[in-house]
Amino acid sequence: MTFTEPAIQKLLESIAFDANGLVAAIAQRHETGEVLMLAWMNADAVRETLETGRVTYWSRSRQALWRKGETSGHVQTLRNIRIDCDGDALLLGVDQIGAACHTNRPNCFFREVDADGLATISAPMAG
Amino acid sequence: MTFTEPAIQKLLESIAFDANGLVAAIAQRHETGEVLMLAWMNADAVRETLETGRVTYWSRSRQALWRKGETSGHVQTLRNIRIDCDGDALLLGVDQIGAACHTNRPNCFFREVDADGLATISAPMAG
């Protein structure tokens, strides 16, 4: 899914970017509702995502645009994009190829609190 | 769902709190996978949530603990809690009473980008 310039402008105007010029972005698997990851976008990442239909984040560690899947092939294709009531979070409906997590797990939330501490609840994907 | 002190300690040690002592927390409806909101927790909010089984955030605007639903009655009961690969985001599985959003909508992500800009995709709940 790609978007027109007026729609991109309207979204950018509605985002309350933080002091670092970033907004939180939650990626959710469109078909199942599985929450895949939380990452960050700057205005350029938002624009590129909406123009290309492929999800691009801002890497805070590398201080550069992070075209998800560019090296791994684990791209996220945009299905829809929502913004929250106060404009400081985005919710992306995506199709995820392969693993969302750099650990090769389906999603980044693979540790769950249990009675003893943290349990690992999913294994790395094959291939 | 409440948790023991060792489990709480283990989670707190695993969180990479930001420069403001906060971690992002995504609330997701346990039964359906609906993403309700993104908010923030400090260590005290994490502890209170796990000890009481009722979700408590940190209000950045009020600079105070925010016991979700304390005035509205729209409490979130904790079903499970996960942490992401780099420890800077939590995913809460919750049971939500009433509206998650202060606008009285079921969730905070009620504006979606469409061809013309932003469309409002859900109405305030009754009551």
Side-chain angles (χ1 to χ4, degrees):
Chain A
M1 181 79 178
T2 60
F3 292 91
T4 61
E5 182 61 27
I8 295 171
Q9 281 292 343
K10 179 66 182 172
L11 177 61
L12 286 172
E13 287 165 12
S14 303
I15 295 174
F17 290 102
D18 71 11
N20 297 313
L22 301 178
V23 61
I26 302 162
Q28 183 179 32
R29 201 184 292 273
H30 180 259
E31 321 91 89
T32 64
E34 175 188 0
V35 173
L36 298 171
M37 55 188 286
L38 172 69
W40 295 84
M41 290 183 170
N42 64 3
D44 288 346
V46 171
R47 171 174 288 283
E48 185 168 309
T49 297
L50 271 68
E51 282 180 348
T52 67
R54 280 205 176 178
V55 180
T56 291
Y57 300 103
W58 176 256
S59 169
R60 294 178 301 171
S61 55
R62 292 189 290 110
Q63 291 284 301
L65 285 175
W66 167 25
R67 296 179 177 90
K68 175 73 179 159
E70 193 170 40
T71 54
S72 66
H74 297 166
V75 301
Q76 292 176 344
T77 304
L78 188 67
R79 295 291 296 266
N80 55 57
I81 183 165
R82 299 177 187 172
I83 183 169
D84 75 350
C85 50
D86 56 2
D88 64 359
L90 302 175
L91 179 61
L92 315 176
V94 305
D95 291 329
Q96 171 73 57
I97 294 180
C101 186
H102 76 287
T103 66
N104 213 37
R105 290 180 171 85
N107 68 70
C108 296
F109 296 94
F110 57 84
R111 295 180 294 166
E112 182 167 320
V113 185
D114 68 8
D116 302 315
L118 292 177
T120 297
I121 58 170
S122 69
M125 297 174 75
Chain B
M1 181 82 179
T2 60
F3 292 91
T4 62
E5 182 60 26
I8 295 170
Q9 281 292 342
K10 179 66 182 172
L11 178 61
L12 286 171
E13 288 164 13
S14 303
I15 296 174
F17 289 103
D18 71 11
N20 297 313
L22 302 178
V23 61
I26 301 161
Q28 184 178 31
R29 200 184 293 272
H30 180 261
E31 322 92 88
T32 64
E34 177 188 359
V35 173
L36 298 171
M37 55 188 287
L38 172 69
W40 296 84
M41 291 183 169
N42 65 0
D44 287 347
V46 172
R47 170 174 289 286
E48 184 167 309
T49 297
L50 271 68
E51 282 179 350
T52 65
R54 280 204 177 180
V55 180
T56 291
Y57 300 103
W58 176 257
S59 168
R60 295 177 301 171
S61 56
R62 290 190 291 109
Q63 290 284 301
L65 285 175
W66 166 24
R67 296 179 177 91
K68 175 73 180 159
E70 193 171 41
T71 52
S72 64
H74 297 167
V75 301
Q76 293 177 343
T77 305
L78 187 67
R79 295 290 296 264
N80 56 55
I81 182 164
R82 298 177 187 170
I83 182 170
D84 76 348
C85 50
D86 56 0
D88 64 359
L90 303 175
L91 179 60
L92 316 176
V94 306
D95 291 330
Q96 170 73 57
I97 294 180
C101 187
H102 75 287
T103 65
N104 213 36
R105 290 180 172 86
N107 69 69
C108 295
F109 296 94
F110 57 84
R111 295 181 295 167
E112 182 169 321
V113 185
D114 68 7
D116 302 316
L118 292 177
T120 297
I121 59 171
S122 69
M125 297 173 74

